[in-house]
Amino acid sequence: MTTSLLLLTLLTGPNAVYEPGAVDMAAAIEAAAHGDHRSESNRDRNRYRHPVGTLMFFGLEPDMRVIEIWPGGGWYTEVLAPVLRENGQFVAAGWDPAVEGQADYRYRLHDELHEKFAANPEIYGKVEYQPFSPPASASLGEPDSADMVVTFRNNHGWIGNDLADTMYAEFFRVLKPGGILGV
């Protein structure tokens, strides 16, 4: 049994009942993770990053408003955006290009992510972009407006730059009561 199937069994239980009209989240995540909109190298990294197991463990549902913090090149964006496209809302909280003095890679990644969105509107046409470069640009939106906030491979930078408290306070502020923080 694969890890993702084992995790799905643990999360749903051995006697889970399929409900007509219900979205099979594991299948939706798997389809997005292997979609043609992703590069071969990004699809190859599925085996290391385990998007199905990770997002199922976090409790991703198709009708959630999910904010991804600093998506970089968009590896998880490529999975989350199509899964949430029809019934949910995906928010890419990326670096704010209006904030001066950031590392050059932040401006480059911002531009590349927007080029990705523009080149594939059938996948990314409903993605919301939230500029987010604390401390200068530090809001993720209205309080209690997100069902889930996810971040991947960012904690080390926040700790090293004394931003961890600021970041986590903002995540808490924007998450709905009972919301999920996936790290």
Side-chain angles (χ1 to χ4, degrees), residues 33-121:
H34 291 284
D36 291 338
H37 65 288
R38 304 187 79 214
S39 68
E40 184 177 338
S41 64
N42 280 357
R43 289 191 307 263
D44 284 347
R45 289 195 324 212
N46 289 341
R47 63 184 161 169
Y48 304 113
R49 291 194 174 175
H50 308 286
V52 176
T54 299
L55 296 173
M56 291 298 294
F57 178 75
F58 288 167
L60 182 67
E61 294 291 337
D63 60 348
M64 287 181 157
R65 178 177 169 80
V66 177
I67 301 173
E68 181 183 7
I69 307 302
W70 292 355
W75 196 92
Y76 263 98
T77 299
E78 294 173 348
V79 177
L80 289 163
V83 169
L84 296 168
R85 181 174 169 78
E86 295 304 316
N87 299 308
Q89 178 65 55
F90 175 72
V91 180
W95 294 292
D96 188 343
V99 174
E100 295 181 14
Q102 299 180 90
D104 288 341
Y105 75 89
R106 290 183 173 190
Y107 302 105
R108 179 181 50 78
L109 287 173
H110 170 271
D111 291 345
E112 289 173 1
L113 193 62
H114 279 81
E115 289 169 10
K116 178 187 295 238
F117 294 165
N120 207 339

Side-chain angles (χ1 to χ4, degrees), residues 138-145 168-176:
S139 176
L140 290 172
E142 296 297 318
D144 303 331
S145 62
Y168 283 96
E170 181 60 10
F171 302 163
F172 178 75
R173 187 188 70 78
V174 77
L175 279 168
K176 295 175 182 177

